[in-house]
Amino acid sequence: MAEGPQPKRKREEEEEKNGGADTQGGATAAFTLSDLRVRRVLRESARDKIVFLHAERIGLSGEGTDAVVILEKTPFQEEKIPDLLKKPMNAELQMHNDIYCTFYLSPPPELSEIKATVVYPATEKHIQKYLRQEVHLIRETWEDYKNITLPFIQSQSFSIQWVYNILEKKAEADRIVHENPDPSNGFVLVPDLKWNQNQLDDLYLIALVHRREIKSLRDLTAEHLPLLRNVLQEGKEAIVKRFGVSGSQLRIYLHYQPSYQHLHVHFTALGYDAPGSSVERAHLLADVIDNLAMDSMYYQKRALTFPLRADEPLFKKFQEAGKV
Ligand code: M7G
């Protein structure tokens, strides 16, 4: 029988107890969730049972430091479902009509977990990332990439310190599922921040390549084929071995544009409608490999589409250039 997901490791539990951790440079500055004060709701989704909050932590001098807090009701864990009906709890009948009735349950804490992800200290860019915005599609030619996008991402993009912390084993070292240590063609596979590893329905891992100069799809040429083939092949093998999910049940893809400009590949359960897995952002790794095998300069020739929020500085740059 397939092995289930690994139980939560001690370090994660400790981090959760502390309410999160700042892993800048590998150092961990713990704080409790109750140190944070909610400033406003950035976005919420009734369908996904998730809310994104702009919060702040008040320092000793009374100064507030921005944080982003993401609260998400966790998926059901199959083995715990029978307890939901069995355990004595407050179950309030809301409506009864013929054969139909609705109850509202107030389950005990161990059956009503909420996952809290904290970004602290958060930059303005983090806050903007989660703020509900009007979104537009950009069609970026190679010239647009060179003239507009590249200078922009070189001048300002998210810090990728967290990626280096993983590659250098300064953070999440005990979560590594697989590593190929080769400096040119190797990578590290870890559970994504979004996955709590308690159930396989929303399985989500990321492969971070050891090479540091590859920012995104735009930098890839046939030279990178051995690396990409390793990620595809070894990533699938590691996931079937550890989690019992076969390669044919995985969606393996890159984002364009990625938020973090260090090449990484997303592995999500095929049945999970993962955020960012839609056509305007996801490029299947198998297709990327085929495209590069056909034409080494494929991603330096073709136009690429991606969504941008209306208030993003990059969107303004495309507007100023008359491209939107
Ligand atoms: P992306 O396409 O660059 O950006 O993917 P997106 O967040 O807009 O999708 C980066 C991926 O890395 C996302 O799936 C994040 O959830 C994940 N991620 C981000 N951070 C800061 C961490 C982290 O510290 N640890 C892990 N394990 N995953 C992270």
Side-chain angles (χ1 to χ4, degrees), residues 43-80:
R43 177 159 40 113
E44 65 178 307
S45 162
R47 198 196 67 165
D48 298 332
K49 316 285 184 298
I50 191 165
V51 62
F52 301 83
L53 304 170
H54 178 184
E56 64 182 352
R57 184 187 188 198
I58 309 296
L60 291 176
S61 57
E63 285 267 297
T65 307
D66 286 326
V68 168
V69 180
I70 305 167
L71 299 178
E72 184 180 11
K73 297 208 177 176
T74 55
F76 288 108
Q77 285 172 255
E78 214 172 309
E79 66 281 9
K80 290 189 180 169

Side-chain angles (χ1 to χ4, degrees), residues 12-35:
E12 281 174 280
E13 279 168 6
E14 271 162 17
E15 265 188 27
E16 264 165 33
K17 233 191 304 165
N18 290 332
D22 170 10
T23 56
Q24 283 277 325
T28 299
F31 59 93
T32 60
L33 272 182
S34 55
D35 290 344

Side-chain angles (χ1 to χ4, degrees), residues 129 162 166 172 175 190-194 204 206 255 258-260 264 266 281:
K129 176 175 157 104
W162 67 272
I166 293 175
E172 305 186 45
R175 287 159 48 93
V190 283
D192 192 278
L193 186 70
K194 297 203 241 340
Y204 201 144
I206 39 165
H255 276 161
S259 297
Y260 301 95
H264 57 274
H266 303 249
R281 209 157 170 230

Side-chain angles (χ1 to χ4, degrees), residues 78-177:
E78 214 172 309
E79 66 281 9
K80 290 189 180 169
I81 292 174
D83 286 349
L84 265 177
L85 302 182
K86 247 191 274 145
K87 288 226 162 147
M89 73 178 99
N90 188 9
E92 199 183 307
L93 178 69
Q94 197 212 24
M95 185 283 293
H96 188 179
N97 181 354
D98 187 34
I99 57 169
Y100 306 99
C101 48
T102 324
F103 290 92
Y104 278 87
L105 313 183
S106 308
E110 68 276 15
L111 296 174
S112 53
E113 247 185 0
I114 289 181
K115 178 182 175 210
T117 305
V118 181
V119 182
Y120 174 83
T123 63
E124 186 55 32
K125 213 167 142 66
H126 288 110
I127 294 165
Q128 291 300 324
K129 176 175 157 104
Y130 296 113
L131 189 64
R132 186 179 297 287
Q133 297 281 335
E134 211 177 82
V135 180
H136 295 268
L137 278 189
I138 297 291
R139 187 87 181 137
E140 177 203 68
T141 62
W142 172 246
E143 277 63 39
D144 294 337
Y145 173 72
K146 272 192 315 184
N147 300 329
I148 306 173
T149 311
L150 185 59
F152 178 80
I153 58 182
Q154 280 168 340
S155 72
Q156 49 169 296
S157 57
F158 276 129
S159 160
I160 46 176
Q161 186 58 49
W162 67 272
V163 175
Y164 298 152
N165 286 346
I166 293 175
L167 296 176
E168 292 166 13
K169 321 284 165 22
K170 290 180 180 164
E172 305 186 45
D174 55 348
R175 287 159 48 93
I176 293 176
V177 170

